[in-house]
Amino acid sequence: MPLTRKAYRAAILHSIADPAEVGIDASYEYFEDGLLVIDNGRISAVGHAGDLLPTLPADIDVTHYQDALITPGLIDTHIHLPQTGMVGAYGEQLLDWLNTYTFPCESQFADKAHADEVADIFIKELLRNGTTTALVFGSVHPQSVNSFFEAAEKLDLRMIAGKVMMDRNAPDYLTDTPQSGYEQSKALIERWHGKGRLHYAVTPRFAPTSTPEQLALAGQLLGEYPDLYMQTHISENKQEVEWVKALFPERNGYLDVYDHYKLLGERSVFAHGVHLCDEECARLAQTGSAVAFCPTSNFFLGSGLFNLPMAEKHKLHVGLGTDVGGGTSFSLLQTLNEAYKVMQLQGARLSPFKSLYLTTLGGARALRLEDKIGTLQPGTDADFLVLDYNATPLLSYRLKQANNIAETLFVLMTLGDDRTVLQTYAAGQLVHQR
Ligand code: GUN
Ligand code: ZN
């Protein structure tokens, strides 16, 4: 195959370590006049344009951007495809919100044509917002995952998804059984896991909607295939936590339910974790599990404030999640804006470089994909964004007052949204142009 080589010249920024571990200054690389070189869908070089250009053939195809910043593609570690049509549903907290809005909305995915239509809208929305990898909940219907992976495969996206397993405490029209949930998941794994850049996640919705038999089969599936993901929810809402204690009185708390059924591990991502205790954070960290911090959802559903400093203390892997439709925006920039406020309300700070880390390298580490995505290191997939400093009149004016990349980055995360994303590239191909 002939080599397709392209280069992109602009300011370039990427995270290379967790600021909590190495300090802010050693956590990132910034090239004010940078060059990113792509060979056949992978990054082959990143650095100062003045250093790299002389090493490249004179006729190399270089796209030069003014007033723009190149970053890695953003990583959403928790989102629901079948809730695209119910973002911003009024008035309820988690358990009533599920019954009133979520379950009826998800029931529409019994229809494959509906699943196809929403998968298309959903993927366009991810890419418009600069999200190049997401860990995605489908509905209970296998076709929700088929529609999603079919659309993702066409664009060669790196995506992870799974069909919900749910066999109790939900309407009959939306439940599977331990056996059918197991078999349907297995068929999806056989069809999709490891195909191109796609990965499968075993997806028990949360402890209250699965019987012990179903949780045991979810754990069994994880043991049957290498490198499978597991995604679920945990300790999002106080009533939910009490309900789990009542449903599983034999277990020592919410996390222990998942632990007992062998659902913790290096590719397990638990959404929310707002009400986790110190011991639970320690156990999650010990097993290499990760938590998805979902600030817009936690505000919108009145769930509470995630304790990021406690997670850091335990060296727990944390990624950022939009949790659409409990979350109110597909934009991880807007999600960072809310994450900052979650920290402010707890008397803590969220530096813009920690924010960059959470949505890129931190998310990649939570998903054990840091050798493939989350940075602009040579050898990784060419999933990257071009952010436009002049996306709106206010952003343009405000950024002219910024004195350094830290201020620029913080303003991008405070004022930025889908309009800020000029272009999104996946595996070196342009997949969104504003
Ligand atoms: N817990 C169980 N299901 C859900 C869901 O769909 N959204 C959120 N935010 N929490 C959940
Ligand atoms: Zn969720």
Side-chain angles (χ1 to χ4, degrees), residues 78-80 83 137 233 236 271-272 294 323-324:
H78 183 66
I79 187 166
H80 297 258
Q83 296 176 16
F137 267 63
H233 297 89
E236 172 180 4
H272 306 295
C294 305
D323 192 31
V324 160

Side-chain angles (χ1 to χ4, degrees), residues 24 30 48 58 72 99 187 200 223 317 322 369 377 430:
I24 285 174
Y30 175 60
H48 297 287
N99 286 312
Y200 193 81
H317 286 287
T322 59
L369 288 171
Q377 302 286 11
L430 182 67

Side-chain angles (χ1 to χ4, degrees), residues 106-186:
E106 293 195 3
S107 73
Q108 298 173 71
F109 284 71
D111 174 13
K112 176 74 164 92
H114 178 79
D116 284 344
E117 182 192 352
V118 178
D120 186 54
I121 295 168
F122 179 82
I123 285 187
K124 286 200 177 104
E125 205 58 38
L126 291 177
L127 299 174
R128 288 182 61 253
N129 284 281
T131 300
T132 48
T133 293
L135 176 56
V136 179
F137 267 63
S139 67
V140 75
H141 317 93
Q143 57 263 38
S144 64
V145 173
N146 282 324
S147 297
F148 174 69
F149 278 149
E150 281 156 16
E153 189 183 31
K154 282 189 194 136
L155 296 172
D156 194 15
L157 304 177
R158 190 172 287 287
M159 291 286 173
I160 314 167
K163 95 153 205 108
V164 159
M165 301 168 85
M166 168 157 80
D167 68 344
R168 66 167 170 175
N169 292 321
D172 288 343
Y173 60 76
L174 212 57
T175 49
D176 53 13
T177 65
Q179 199 56 31
S180 71
Y182 172 82
E183 283 166 10
Q184 290 169 349
S185 301
K186 209 172 168 83

Side-chain angles (χ1 to χ4, degrees), residues 34-53:
L35 195 76
L36 183 69
V37 187
I38 311 298
D39 283 323
N40 287 335
R42 293 242 174 101
I43 294 168
S44 58
V46 64
H48 297 287
D51 294 340
L52 286 176
L53 282 171

Side-chain angles (χ1 to χ4, degrees), residues 80 83 94 97-98 102 106 205-206 233 236 272 297 301 323 326:
H80 297 258
Q83 296 176 16
L94 178 64
W97 173 85
L98 284 171
T102 315
E106 293 195 3
R205 178 171 216 118
F206 67 155
H233 297 89
E236 172 180 4
H272 306 295
S297 171
L301 294 177
D323 192 31

Side-chain angles (χ1 to χ4, degrees), residues 14-23 26-28 353 357 361 365 375:
H14 68 148
S15 217
I16 54 172
D18 185 349
E21 286 176 8
V22 302
S27 77
Y28 68 94
F353 295 104
Y357 175 79
L361 178 56
R365 284 183 174 166
T375 71

